[in-house]
Amino acid sequence: MDIFVQQLINGLVLGSIYALVALGYTMVYGILGLINFAHGDVTMIGALVSATLIQLLHAAGLPVPVSLLLAGGGAVIVCASLGFSIERIAYRPLRNAPRLAPLITAIGVSILIQYSAALIWGKQYIALPAIITPPSIEFAGAQINHLQIAIVILAACIMGGLIWFIHHSRMGRAMRATEQNPAVASLMGVDTHAVIAMTFLLGSAIGAIAGLMVILYYGIGHYFMGFMLGLKAFTAAVLGGIGNVGGAVIGGLLLGIIESLAAGYIEQLSGGLFGSNYRDIFAFLVLILVLLLRPQGLLGQRSGDRA
Amino acid sequence: MTGLRYASWSRQLLIISALIVAPFAIEMLLGRSWLRITDVALLYVMLALGLNIVVGFAGLLDLGYIAFFAVGAYSYALLASPQLAIHAPVLVIIPVGAALAALFGIALGAPTLRLRGDYLAIVTLGFGEIIRVLLNNLNRPINITNGPQGITRIDPLHISQFSFGHSHSLGGITFTPLHQYYLIFLAFVLITILISVRLEHSRIGRAWRAIRDDELAAQAMGIHTRNLKLLAFAMGASFGGVAGCLFASFQGFISPESFQLIDSVMILCMVVLGGIGHIGGVILGALLLTILPETLRYIGPLQQQIFGTVYIDPADLRMLLFGLALVLMMLLRPRGLWPKRQLTGQLTNRGG
């Protein structure tokens, strides 16, 4: 039992981050039916931009909370504009193209972002100097530090805010209308292009915050980090029911917890046969199992077209 | 209709003799390293044609195709190296490699083929990664794949006493291993082309096209979509497996490093850039994407000369250009550089 609570807490933190990234996938999928492969890489840009900003601002002598806030703001601005431009330049012209076309474009955009990042930041790991050493507290025999608590709370606020936005704002209603039927929504006076642009903007901005959390939590970043993060977040979105915002949240948390527990126990359970180096496989196994057993996800509705 | 069947015999003879003389010309004019690149390019042509069956003919987006290549390569490496102390004959290994890859294709396809296109893409991508992680980690508790170090001292291709790893003389001309591999790869490529062409115009090929264009309609016409999709997966995979066997014998060394997602993406690029579903276009795409990046090698020293330092690593530049090419192609020429002429009289046909 000793590591159970600890892994549960680690999983919760990890899951909050997955959930935030998963929101970006699920919102775009809900409206466009497109897997935005580049979303993980947008998150990576968010992580690396905030790492650079934190380093710069810290070197300039700003207090830590101020530099964190400014770095987060900077990352949000960069990622939101990136997400907006991707949609405008790469996806919008393909709105009525055959299915394969936007998917291949998305892969291309993903590669472009990765290697642009490799050009800007280099291919080595970007390490964040230990400017914050969050104090830990004891909880049921496990260690939790303030950073972990802050990540979970901030993530919860963002998710709650997004769900409120979608259900109670004018734009949110337009988003839901577009998701249900773009043609009818546009007949009703909804500017669907603007709605789709907004979706990318919001998803990317949330991705930027997730990137900031990743870089603070792990302390290192890399131009290729978006790939795994994106895949896991996509898995989380599918697990929860792709296109469903609440599902993305639940899927993210669940995946984070499954992964942490599995990584914590696999060595013990398999008698040392498999180590935690198999960690990254769990997400794929979960994905394949979900697609086989319940392709509509936990909260999704059954639909002949989706699976 | 694609060449082969209608081209006159004399023209075919001319093309084939030109292809046989080509390696000598390449070695004389450009040097040994380019002959090696040509050999590798032929392997990629095979891979691209194999993936074309899955993506181009049947319209199933497979992002883990390199896994089948890996299965073939590891089959050869394990059956013909000191790793497991087995040295099976090539004529056994290649069918085994092909069959094993096909089996993996079916194992991947059977549960996932009822998924729609983009889900399939993600699952195949995950599958490719799982294979790579397994190859990396199957060195304990029993050492099968030797982990990240890979397998070394793999036997060269050999048929009874004739080894492709040694030079041979015939009528005063010396055939180095690179020449011999060129010829055997060429033979395999020609067989692959032949099978692709025959498949495309067969009952199966037409069924695939029907599935690709509208699965529901195809099903309504009595096509057994699931089995045919599985067949496409298995056939594509077996080409990948054979190419993998040849690759392992050619290199003499393999490691999981050679089978990354980016390699799957590159093969997909070849198919897409050349002309998805068009055999000639796919061959063009494979040749272009193997040869053009090699010329980027000169960019590094060039930067050194002009600026004093290397600003852009040529390998990164290559990837940047790939990404850009994918995006631009989809926007500007979605059907590829050399697309298939549509002879079926569709309304969309504007002279293709």
Side-chain angles (χ1 to χ4, degrees):
Chain A
M1 272 315 273
D2 49 340
I3 64 164
F4 182 76
V5 179
Q6 186 69 57
Q7 293 295 359
L8 204 63
I9 290 167
N10 293 349
L12 195 66
V13 177
L14 201 59
S16 309
I17 297 174
Y18 289 164
L20 287 185
V21 184
L23 287 175
Y25 279 103
T26 223
M27 289 188 341
V28 167
Y29 193 93
I31 289 185
L32 283 184
L34 162 74
I35 298 176
N36 180 13
F37 267 99
H39 185 60
D41 301 299
V42 172
T43 308
M44 173 272 293
I45 294 287
L48 295 190
V49 165
S50 40
T52 306
L53 285 177
I54 290 172
Q55 281 170 350
L56 287 177
L57 296 169
H58 185 65
L62 286 175
V64 172
V66 178
S67 58
L68 283 187
L69 214 63
L70 286 177
V76 165
I77 292 171
V78 171
C79 288
S81 3
L82 185 63
F84 180 80
S85 329
I86 292 171
E87 193 274 325
R88 190 72 192 75
I89 297 167
Y91 297 151
R92 189 176 294 185
L94 298 175
R95 213 40 62 75
N96 296 313
R99 276 212 103 78
L100 221 51
L103 206 57
I104 290 170
T105 307
I107 297 168
V109 172
S110 165
I111 297 175
L112 259 181
I113 298 179
Q114 276 169 18
Y115 285 86
S116 308
L119 271 188
I120 298 171
W121 281 281
K123 282 180 149 177
Q124 73 283 17
Y125 280 89
I126 313 289
L128 203 60
I131 52 168
I132 42 169
T133 41
S136 316
I137 48 172
E138 282 264 328
F139 174 79
Q143 297 283 324
I144 315 177
N145 65 38
H146 287 184
L147 178 63
Q148 291 177 310
I149 298 174
I151 287 178
V152 174
I153 292 178
L154 181 58
C157 291
I158 292 174
M159 295 176 226
L162 182 71
I163 290 173
W164 181 89
F165 179 79
I166 288 175
H167 286 279
H168 296 280
S169 73
R170 204 178 150 76
M171 184 44 117
R173 193 163 57 206
M175 285 165 90
R176 279 180 293 141
T178 310
E179 180 175 352
Q180 280 175 14
N181 191 329
V184 176
S186 77
L187 286 177
M188 295 297 137
V190 174
D191 181 353
T192 48
H193 281 314
V195 167
I196 292 167
M198 186 67 187
T199 310
F200 272 84
L201 209 80
L202 264 180
S204 305
I206 294 174
I209 305 276
L212 172 70
M213 289 175 175
V214 172
I215 201 85
L216 287 176
Y217 190 48
Y218 290 106
I220 50 170
H222 188 229
Y223 78 102
F224 203 60
M225 67 192 275
F227 170 65
M228 255 309 159
L229 187 63
L231 258 173
K232 288 178 180 172
F234 175 78
T235 304
V238 172
L239 178 62
I242 195 148
N244 184 317
V245 172
V249 173
I250 292 172
L253 292 177
L254 215 56
L255 186 70
I257 290 169
I258 292 173
E259 197 185 299
S260 290
L261 287 180
Y265 282 103
I266 181 167
E267 196 135 10
Q268 214 172 314
L269 287 178
S270 64
L273 201 62
F274 301 107
S276 52
N277 44 354
Y278 282 92
R279 175 186 195 112
D280 288 341
I281 284 190
F282 296 126
F284 294 127
L285 288 182
V286 168
L287 177 67
I288 291 173
L289 284 179
V290 172
L291 289 176
L292 291 184
L293 303 175
R294 200 178 155 81
Q296 73 272 35
L298 294 173
L299 296 188
Q301 281 148 10
R302 185 167 277 285
S303 135
D305 180 47
R306 279 204 179 140
Chain B
M1 297 275 167
T2 317
L4 245 63
R5 211 185 333 172
Y6 294 99
S8 66
W9 278 104
S10 59
R11 218 176 106 198
Q12 277 186 37
L13 210 67
L14 201 71
I15 293 172
I16 289 179
S17 41
L19 283 172
I20 290 173
V21 178
F24 296 98
I26 290 168
E27 193 176 17
M28 263 195 338
L29 295 173
L30 298 163
R32 271 178 71 84
S33 65
W34 277 96
L35 184 54
R36 197 179 171 75
I37 293 166
T38 312
D39 285 6
V40 174
L42 286 177
L43 278 181
Y44 274 110
V45 169
M46 252 188 100
L47 281 173
L49 284 171
L51 183 63
N52 183 50
I53 292 180
V54 185
V55 179
F57 290 176
L60 306 163
L61 188 55
D62 183 350
L63 286 182
Y65 188 67
I66 202 74
F68 305 124
F69 187 57
V71 167
Y74 268 87
S75 316
Y76 188 96
L78 290 174
L79 292 176
S81 78
Q83 174 70 11
L84 300 181
I86 305 173
H87 296 275
V90 171
L91 292 178
V92 172
I93 305 177
I94 289 182
V96 166
L100 213 62
L103 214 66
F104 270 83
I106 292 172
L108 168 66
T112 49
L113 280 177
R114 58 201 183 92
L115 303 173
R116 217 195 47 204
D118 24 18
Y119 278 128
L120 186 69
I122 291 274
V123 174
T124 50
L125 186 155
F127 174 77
E129 285 296 291
I130 288 178
I131 294 280
R132 197 174 58 83
V133 173
L134 281 179
L135 291 177
N136 253 324
N137 288 299
L138 278 182
N139 53 346
R140 72 197 180 90
I142 317 162
N143 188 353
I144 302 173
T145 62
N146 207 21
Q149 284 86 37
I151 298 176
T152 50
R153 290 191 288 145
I154 301 169
D155 301 346
L157 215 56
H158 56 93
I159 295 164
S160 70
Q161 292 304 308
F162 184 90
S163 169
F164 284 76
H166 302 296
S167 294
H168 292 273
S169 259
L170 184 73
I173 306 166
T174 313
F175 289 84
T176 62
L178 284 177
H179 289 133
Q180 294 161 25
Y181 274 108
Y182 173 89
L183 291 175
I184 192 89
F185 288 178
L186 185 66
F188 272 100
V189 164
L190 289 177
I191 295 171
T192 311
I193 294 175
L194 194 70
I195 296 177
S196 287
V197 172
R198 303 296 292 171
L199 265 178
E200 190 184 8
H201 299 294
S202 71
R203 197 181 156 82
I204 296 173
R206 281 195 303 275
W208 280 338
R209 227 171 312 148
I211 294 173
R212 181 191 65 195
D213 293 343
D214 191 332
E215 190 172 342
L216 210 61
Q219 211 159 18
M221 289 296 133
I223 292 171
H224 199 312
T225 56
R226 192 173 156 279
N227 283 3
L228 276 160
K229 280 157 92 180
L230 268 185
L231 186 67
F233 247 75
M235 293 221 53
S238 62
F239 282 120
V242 172
C245 287
L246 298 177
F247 174 74
S249 72
F250 177 65
Q251 294 277 16
F253 161 76
I254 52 166
S255 78
E257 281 294 293
S258 314
F259 311 107
Q260 305 204 18
L261 171 69
I262 211 65
D263 302 294
S264 292
V265 171
M266 200 168 88
I267 301 168
L268 181 69
C269 285
M270 293 169 178
V271 174
V272 171
L273 293 188
I276 200 161
H278 183 215
I279 294 166
V282 170
I283 296 172
L284 176 74
L287 291 178
L288 276 181
L289 280 191
T290 347
I291 290 163
L292 283 184
E294 294 298 332
T295 57
L296 290 179
R297 266 170 215 263
Y298 303 112
I299 301 256
L302 198 69
Q303 289 178 61
Q304 189 80 45
Q305 262 180 14
I306 299 174
F307 306 111
T309 61
V310 178
Y311 283 110
I312 302 180
D313 179 12
D316 293 354
L317 185 64
R318 190 181 75 156
M319 293 312 298
L320 272 175
L321 292 179
F322 270 5
L324 199 63
L326 276 183
V327 175
L328 289 181
M329 284 302 283
M330 282 300 117
L331 290 176
L332 305 175
R333 251 186 108 81
R335 286 170 54 215
L337 289 174
W338 185 13
K340 194 174 171 54
R341 277 169 62 193
Q342 298 202 329
L343 297 173
T344 41
Q346 289 179 5
L347 287 173
T348 50
N349 184 13
R350 274 174 291 178

